[in-house]
Amino acid sequence: MIAFLLTIRARSDVHDGTERETLKRWLDRYPMLSDKTVHTWVSTDGSVTCHWGGHSAEHLGGVRYTTTERDKFALFGGRPVLWKGGEADGRTSVDPRTYLRDTAEWSQDLDGRYVVVRIDNDTVYVQTDAAGLFPVYFSRNSEGIQISNMAALVTPVGAQPRPRALAGLLAGGWSITGEPLREGVERLVPGTATSISRDRVVTTAQCGTNYADVLKSTPDYTEAKRLLISLARAFADWPGRATQLALTGGRDSRVIAAILRKADIKPAVVTNAYAGQVGYPETGDVRAARRLSVMLGWEHSATRTRETAAIYSRTHSVLELLQLTSAQTTSLTDIMDVELEPVNSLPILFDGVAGEIGRGAWTAYLGGEHPTGQTVDEMAGSLFEKITPRSPSPLLNSDGKFLIYDWMRNFCREQIERGVALADIPEVLHLERQASWHGPNLSNRDHREDTASLYLSPRIWPHMIGRGGGGHVDGKFHRILLQSFGPDLANMPYETADASWLQDNSVGATMNEERRRNAHRIPIEPIGAILDLARSAAHSDNNHPAWDVLDRGRVVELLRRNPEQVRGVERYQLWSLATALSMPQSFDVP
């Protein structure tokens, strides 16, 4: 991982070391890095400085994130790949010298999760990935412009929460609008190239994907298979770094497994099991992934998030991690498996995130009916009810609900102006969700892995959701890939309730009678610690800005429950409530 802080001042200003001290304090508080070294580059005239820290080259297979050449400087973060002649290249893209070359040579060919910074005598150039998986933030004041991949490093002291961002966090558990929580800091738009002249004139160019063009495309499954194999090989091609696959028993990661096998990549398989899940620690996902791993001939291991995990036993430390690494719109529930210790091994982790966009995103992800509407207002209302269902009652009051609904309505209008059909807006919103939910969440995990999300390559989207149709996608994309790459994997059952799943011959064990009974119970997380956190925060700060968008009666009702009474969607409401109320009212420099 890398954490960087870039500053552009007027020419007459002098580099005074303030930013270096800011980053040093951030690193001192960040528990995941044993190396607290701050590195610095300063332009010849002193008007541009870049400070950074992170994993050293020995943890990155000899790769360095930065390079200099006379008055030029280049930096990258994440895991970019570069398309050349129709094939993906994973080596050139992790050589920072690539980005010293003219931007026209590489800017339109990058893929993956990344940021690239290029500085020469005249211009600071920052490019963000099209899927929004590597968030970058900026702030501006009379002294200059600051840019960082860590929102905390560019957030003004004393910055207050945005009511709409708070409403989004409380409604769905993430920044629905994409805004950082704090005022005074903004996010660079995903898939854009931002150029800043030395006199601080900012221009932005789109280098990402036009959703209207994607939705009008005709899927080519033969080409999709070729692209996916090439992309997988490129992601894995980072010498000195291991590959892993996050595998469950579901369709999305199963297809990724089939692609990796076809690409001759042999990852170590990992499956997460959480206390409170049915059958824990032998959950349905663990059992299915183990069987799939045996079929593939790959090593499998399960990681367990116990009742004593940091998320429950050191919750305030986890909250501080969110303050340091996110825009503070990440819910605690999204980092339940976090460990607050330095790690030395940094694998490339393949995952199946966003595979649902190829099988009807909203119905596959949240269930129920697909959002529909004959007018913008109807579509906005349908999408709002998907994100904030009526049952159980939302945590938001009428003001909070309106903030989200009004944004949703404007989002629909903007997409129509860009050529997206009204019926296809839900698919676009789900893609945007990867930038507003998944991307910020990955920033909290940068210390332990670099992710490779094949489904989130814009080059794959035309084959997943081309020809639109209002989300009436039946999973053809997945079926074709599995039948081509892994018919043996396709035939293994998905349903863990089948009687055959009660006997696991791969480990020579049979579920005991207690586990048989538990297999039919509703899973309950050990959520008592989160309930206590929410109660304490609610009682200690009656003037927190979150109360402006919260329904007090609904909050009181939820907080009066016993832990075992908090079920289903209410669990996620509680996680979001605890996160929002526990964040400090104003922001202080780390």
Side-chain angles (χ1 to χ4, degrees), residues 65-232:
Y65 286 118
T66 65
T67 191
T68 61
E69 181 183 286
R70 293 187 287 277
D71 290 334
K72 294 182 179 180
F73 173 82
L75 172 153
F76 80 90
R79 197 347 174 181
V81 297
L82 190 64
W83 290 95
K84 293 180 177 179
E87 295 293 338
D89 171 12
R91 294 281 186 104
T92 307
S93 56
V94 293
D95 182 346
R97 293 174 297 181
T98 298
Y99 308 114
L100 289 174
R101 304 200 301 259
D102 189 274
T103 56
E105 297 184 35
W106 48 264
S107 64
Q108 295 299 317
D109 299 319
L110 281 173
D111 204 343
R113 174 179 181 261
Y114 67 84
V115 63
V116 170
V117 175
R118 180 184 186 274
I119 305 172
D120 61 22
N121 283 325
D122 300 313
T123 306
V124 174
Y125 177 94
V126 183
Q127 182 167 323
T128 55
D129 71 79
L133 302 180
F134 198 104
V136 181
Y137 307 94
F138 74 96
S139 63
R140 180 197 288 264
N141 55 39
S142 59
E143 297 181 356
I145 296 172
Q146 291 192 313
I147 300 173
S148 178
N149 62 317
M150 299 297 172
L153 294 174
V154 294
T155 301
V157 176
Q160 298 292 309
R162 289 181 169 94
R164 191 166 66 178
L166 270 173
L169 177 61
L170 289 161
W174 84 98
S175 176
I176 295 168
T177 67
E179 298 167 299
L181 180 66
R182 302 290 173 179
E183 295 177 344
V185 58
E186 306 292 340
R187 179 175 173 178
L188 292 181
V189 177
T192 58
T194 300
S195 298
I196 307 169
S197 64
R198 291 303 175 89
D199 54 0
R200 294 175 292 171
V201 174
V202 180
T203 57
T204 302
Q206 185 71 32
C207 56
T209 301
N210 184 303
Y211 292 128
D213 292 341
V214 168
L215 289 156
K216 293 173 185 175
S217 301
T218 300
D220 181 338
Y221 299 112
T222 300
E223 176 66 358
K225 289 184 283 187
R226 187 191 70 80
L227 291 172
L228 285 164
I229 291 172
S230 181
L231 189 59

Side-chain angles (χ1 to χ4, degrees), residues 110-393:
L110 281 173
D111 204 343
R113 174 179 181 261
Y114 67 84
V115 63
V116 170
V117 175
R118 180 184 186 274
I119 305 172
D120 61 22
N121 283 325
D122 300 313
T123 306
V124 174
Y125 177 94
V126 183
Q127 182 167 323
T128 55
D129 71 79
L133 302 180
F134 198 104
V136 181
Y137 307 94
F138 74 96
S139 63
R140 180 197 288 264
N141 55 39
S142 59
E143 297 181 356
I145 296 172
Q146 291 192 313
I147 300 173
S148 178
N149 62 317
M150 299 297 172
L153 294 174
V154 294
T155 301
V157 176
Q160 298 292 309
R162 289 181 169 94
R164 191 166 66 178
L166 270 173
L169 177 61
L170 289 161
W174 84 98
S175 176
I176 295 168
T177 67
E179 298 167 299
L181 180 66
R182 302 290 173 179
E183 295 177 344
V185 58
E186 306 292 340
R187 179 175 173 178
L188 292 181
V189 177
T192 58
T194 300
S195 298
I196 307 169
S197 64
R198 291 303 175 89
D199 54 0
R200 294 175 292 171
V201 174
V202 180
T203 57
T204 302
Q206 185 71 32
C207 56
T209 301
N210 184 303
Y211 292 128
D213 292 341
V214 168
L215 289 156
K216 293 173 185 175
S217 301
T218 300
D220 181 338
Y221 299 112
T222 300
E223 176 66 358
K225 289 184 283 187
R226 187 191 70 80
L227 291 172
L228 285 164
I229 291 172
S230 181
L231 189 59
R233 287 172 176 162
F235 277 134
D237 186 17
W238 188 323
R241 297 187 68 178
T243 55
Q244 291 183 350
L245 169 64
L247 182 63
T248 67
R251 291 168 178 79
D252 301 327
S253 62
R254 192 179 300 207
V255 171
I256 300 300
I259 294 168
L260 296 183
R261 180 173 62 178
K262 187 68 175 179
D264 299 318
I265 299 167
K266 189 176 182 179
V269 177
V270 293
T271 308
N272 290 331
Y274 300 94
Q277 286 183 311
V278 172
Y280 176 86
E282 287 294 302
T283 66
D285 278 346
V286 169
R287 297 165 67 79
R290 184 186 295 123
R291 289 191 172 195
L292 288 166
S293 299
V294 169
M295 296 170 66
L296 292 160
W298 297 345
E299 177 185 347
H300 175 266
S301 62
T303 61
R304 300 177 181 179
T305 300
R306 299 176 171 86
E307 295 89 339
T308 56
I311 191 70
Y312 304 116
S313 62
R314 301 173 60 190
T315 312
H316 286 284
S317 295
V318 178
L319 278 165
E320 180 167 281
L321 173 68
L322 292 184
Q323 186 176 7
L324 289 172
T325 62
S326 75
Q328 297 187 41
T329 53
T330 302
S331 171
L332 285 165
T333 190
D334 288 320
I335 55 170
M336 289 176 62
D337 61 341
V338 68
E339 296 181 6
L340 300 175
E341 304 293 340
V343 294
N344 295 319
S345 174
L346 256 78
I348 304 296
L349 178 72
F350 288 88
D351 63 30
V353 169
E356 64 272 10
I357 67 174
R359 49 190 178 88
W362 289 104
T363 53
Y365 189 78
L366 292 178
E369 297 297 321
H370 182 80
T372 59
Q374 300 302 311
T375 66
V376 164
D377 285 355
E378 289 179 2
M379 180 60 79
S382 183
L383 287 167
F384 176 81
E385 289 194 8
K386 267 289 184 179
I387 292 171
T388 309
R390 294 180 180 179
S391 179
S393 298

Side-chain angles (χ1 to χ4, degrees), residues 460-482:
I460 306 303
W461 293 344
H463 311 295
M464 295 180 72
I465 58 174
R467 299 294 293 273
H472 300 298
V473 183
D474 62 358
K476 182 178 180 181
F477 179 85
H478 291 70
R479 290 197 304 274
I480 287 177
L481 262 63
L482 269 182

